[in-house]
Amino acid sequence: MTSNYAPDGATQLEIYKRAALLKANDERSRKVIMTGRLVMPYYSYRGQEIIPSAMAQALTDDDYWVTIYRGIHDMLAKGMPLNDLWAEVAGRVDGTCKGKGGPMHLTYPKKGIMVTTGIVGSSMPIANGIAWGSQLSGNNRVTVATFGDGASNIGAFHESLNLAGVWKLPVIFLCQNNLYGEHTAYEKATSVARIADRGAAYNIPGVRVNGNDPIEMYAAAREAVERARAGEGPTLIEAMTFRFHGHVFGDSDAYMDKDQKKAAMDADPVPIFRARLIAEGIASEDELAAIEAQVESDIDAAVEFALASPFPEFDELTKDVYAEGVAA
Ligand SMILES: Cc1ncc(C[n+]2csc(CCOP(=O)(O)OP(=O)(O)O)c2C)c(N)n1
Ligand SMILES: [Mg+2]
């Protein structure tokens, strides 16, 4: 794997700050649902935090990101404010989409979070369109599309890689391979051992990395970003990871291999990263504990802010949906 872009200590600490936020936010989301304070569909990303934490570190605020239903980690990593996020998942007026997007359709263009989609495979053609816009306007922005391993079996994945390869679009196809698509194990539905190999069919570089390793993940992200900004076109990154919970909150996960799951949870990437930062003298126990305490109190405030925010009024229903002045 590339070592040209090894992150220094300060960069690693920034990646850790994001990972700590994402982990705590997932834990809190499940808790808030369990206690009945919020009712919503929830797709846990616990176990996958390092991928967007490192990817976002390689981007600027101006770069774009298109994510999926299992994407709150991507959004937080890219800079969506906690208050706006929590208000949106709670369906309140102070949310990113005034409560009309809900947990599966958040956007926050101020930080480049352009679309969240629940249609498997659709993040990639949308990302291509945004990247094409950047290419035409010369704004030098990069677009990331995240998606799962299952999505790489959808036609839109193949069409998108082909077109991005032909037009050399400044786009990064970031596959978060968590080894399951809904309730189906990877090998039961995917013809190749490595999704990264599919890049070759479209003449674009395909790299597989350990997505749970911040150093490897950051190096791959930097290389893909540099390529895209230099006009050299797209990269397919297959980031290997694991989903610690069932597909959707409440799923009994009976179809998941118990030994595989236990091994993955024993190798939880966030505490491993934390322990290494301390062992290598990059941060002290006290510094990391302070970061984590801050994250918890920021989440406390966001949950209370969201639940105190009102639901949208009925007359909001068709606003922001149709062009101004066009009858609904
Ligand atoms: C076009 C389409 N087909 C099927 C579904 C139902 N569905 C939702 S998530 C999912 C699994 C996707 O798995 P993967 O791409 O690996 O992403 P993960 O959920 O593991 O992050 C399926 C089949 C859908 N939402 N859209
Ligand atoms: Mg998957």
Side-chain angles (χ1 to χ4, degrees):
M1 205 26 246
T2 46
S3 59
N4 300 355
Y5 297 109
D8 60 16
T11 305
Q12 291 191 51
L13 195 53
E14 289 304 311
I15 296 172
Y16 181 77
K17 280 184 193 165
R18 287 197 179 85
L21 168 67
L22 310 188
K23 174 174 177 288
N25 196 74
D26 181 87
E27 285 162 352
R28 184 69 64 91
S29 301
R30 286 182 282 115
K31 198 168 155 190
V32 170
I33 296 168
M34 283 289 276
T35 52
R37 294 190 78 199
L38 195 55
V39 178
M40 63 167 175
Y42 184 66
Y43 300 86
S44 171
Y45 52 80
R46 190 68 259 287
Q48 302 183 198
E49 293 91 341
I50 302 296
I51 300 170
S53 299
M55 183 75 239
Q57 188 65 31
L59 299 170
T60 69
D61 280 357
D62 289 338
D63 290 321
Y64 299 120
W65 196 307
V66 181
T67 187
I68 61 170
Y69 50 91
R70 194 184 314 288
I72 286 177
H73 57 333
D74 298 338
M75 299 168 213
L76 285 174
K78 187 71 175 65
M80 185 179 284
L82 276 168
N83 281 7
D84 304 54
L85 182 138
W86 274 91
E88 189 58 41
V89 298
R92 311 302 171 103
V93 293
D94 292 307
T96 58
C97 307
K98 300 185 197 169
K100 294 186 280 185
M104 280 211 258
H105 301 288
L106 294 97
T107 63
Y108 195 71
K110 275 187 244 174
K111 292 280 185 177
I113 303 150
M114 306 310 283
V115 182
T116 300
T117 173
I119 310 296
V120 172
S122 68
S123 63
M124 294 160 275
I126 297 170
N128 269 359
I130 296 170
W132 190 29
S134 292
Q135 190 181 61
L136 292 174
S137 69
N139 68 15
N140 206 31
R141 297 179 184 183
V142 170
T143 301
V144 174
T146 48
F147 53 96
D149 43 288
S152 79
N153 298 322
I154 294 269
F157 164 89
H158 297 272
E159 295 176 31
S160 300
L161 264 67
N162 182 62
L163 196 65
V166 173
W167 288 353
K168 298 227 173 301
L169 296 177
V171 62
I172 298 168
F173 299 108
L174 176 58
C175 177
Q176 303 192 22
N177 186 349
N178 59 16
L179 304 180
Y180 284 86
E182 201 157 21
H183 308 123
T184 309
Y186 175 87
E187 56 281 359
K188 289 197 178 155
T190 312
S191 64
V192 287
R194 295 157 45 96
I195 290 169
D197 290 346
R198 290 181 160 166
Y202 306 103
N203 197 26
I204 72 172
V207 290
R208 173 185 262 197
V209 293
N210 177 357
N212 291 349
D213 179 332
I215 295 179
E216 238 187 85
M217 185 60 222
Y218 177 75
R222 280 291 306 275
E223 190 162 322
V225 169
E226 300 301 322
R227 238 183 89 71
R229 278 207 222 287
E232 291 166 17
T235 302
L236 169 62
I237 301 175
E238 179 187 13
M240 301 307 296
T241 187
F242 196 77
R243 188 190 78 190
F244 286 2
H245 297 280
H247 172 62
V248 65
F249 187 79
D251 165 347
S252 69
D253 74 22
Y255 53 90
M256 290 176 87
D257 181 312
K258 299 288 166 280
D259 294 338
Q260 177 196 43
K261 185 175 172 188
K262 183 180 181 312
M265 290 178 87
D266 286 348
D268 188 336
V270 183
I272 288 177
F273 186 18
R274 185 186 201 282
R276 190 174 57 71
L277 290 176
I278 295 172
E280 293 181 7
I282 294 170
S284 67
E285 166 64 39
D286 286 353
E287 268 176 273
L288 298 185
I291 289 168
E292 290 146 8
Q294 184 63 51
V295 157
E296 291 292 346
S297 76
D298 291 348
I299 297 172
D300 285 342
V303 173
E304 297 316 317
F305 171 82
L307 295 179
S309 171
F311 288 104
E313 295 294 339
F314 187 72
D315 69 0
E316 269 288 329
L317 201 60
T318 56
K319 283 187 195 156
D320 310 316
V321 177
Y322 299 98
E324 204 64 37
V326 176

